[in-house]
Amino acid sequence: MTASPAPDPVDAITAQWAVVRPDLDTVPMAVFGRVYRLTHAMAERMDRAYAPFGISRGEFDVLATLRRSGEPYTLSPRQLSATLMLTTGGMTGRLDKLERAGLLSRNPDPHDRRALRVTLSERGLEIVDGAVTAGLAVQREALEAALDEREAEQLAGLLRKLLGATGA
C-alpha cells in the first residue's frame, strides 16, 4: 500500500476555503492550482537546463519548432508564430536574437519574394539537440521522483483529456 503524499500548499488553500465556504467544491481549484504551481516550478528548472546552451525557454521553442519540422529545418515566420501562439512582433524579437547568435537565418522565400523563410543553422541544430536532451532529463527526473511509468502515462492521458475539453 502506497503512503499518501504529504499535504502541500494547495491542500492548505482548499482547507481554508472549506472553513469559510463549506458549500464550495474545491476539487477544480486543487487540480488547476497544482497544474499552475507545477508549471511554474518546472519553468524554473527548464530555464536552468537551457542556460548552459545560451538560450531561454522561448528561444528553445523557436529552435525546437524548426528542428521538429524536419530537414531542411525551414518554416515561414507565420508558421512559427501560429505554432508557438506568438504575435508577429514577439516572433520578430526572438528571431532577431537567434539570428544574431548565429542559430538561424532568414532568407527570401524562393517562391514568393515578399515572404521570408527561417532556417535552423548547423550551430542552431547542435544547440537545440543538446538543449532538448537536457530538458527531457530534467522532466524525466521530476516524473520519476513521484510516478512510475504507468502512472506517468496515465497522467499524460488524463491531462490530454482535460486539455481537449478546454478547447486549447
Side-chain angles (χ1 to χ4, degrees):
M1 183 167 168
T2 307
S4 295
D8 65 14
V10 175
D11 290 320
I13 292 167
T14 57
Q16 289 170 329
W17 278 113
V19 170
V20 299
R21 288 287 310 273
D23 59 305
L24 294 177
D25 171 11
T26 58
V27 170
M29 183 184 295
V31 169
F32 290 103
R34 287 187 177 99
V35 167
Y36 177 81
R37 286 171 178 262
L38 180 61
T39 298
H40 283 274
M42 289 306 296
E44 291 175 14
R45 291 181 184 190
M46 299 309 289
D47 284 338
R48 287 192 302 271
Y50 298 147
F53 299 93
I55 58 174
S56 68
R57 276 180 293 129
E59 293 157 357
F60 170 82
D61 290 343
V62 172
L63 297 175
T65 300
L66 289 167
R67 177 66 166 107
R68 291 190 319 265
S69 73
E71 288 192 56
Y73 313 119
T74 301
L75 295 170
S76 71
R78 180 170 298 184
Q79 289 170 309
L80 283 166
S81 292
T83 300
L84 299 173
M85 297 182 287
L86 279 177
T87 65
T88 54
M91 179 57 64
T92 298
R94 286 187 192 174
L95 294 177
D96 287 346
K97 185 172 180 188
L98 291 166
E99 188 172 38
R100 280 192 305 271
L103 303 181
L104 57 77
S105 62
R106 287 182 278 195
N107 300 296
D109 185 323
H111 305 293
D112 180 356
R113 45 183 208 172
R114 297 169 297 167
L116 291 174
R117 303 294 289 170
V118 179
T119 303
L120 194 60
S121 70
E122 282 295 319
R123 178 153 166 64
L125 181 63
E126 291 171 14
I127 293 291
V128 73
D129 279 351
V132 73
T133 300
L136 281 170
V138 167
Q139 292 169 344
R140 182 170 290 106
E141 180 182 324
L143 280 175
E144 290 176 352
L147 307 173
D148 63 32
E149 188 175 336
R150 183 191 56 76
E151 290 170 323
E153 289 174 5
Q154 182 180 17
L155 179 59
L158 291 170
L159 290 171
R160 179 186 307 108
K161 186 176 181 179
L162 184 59
L163 189 60
T166 67

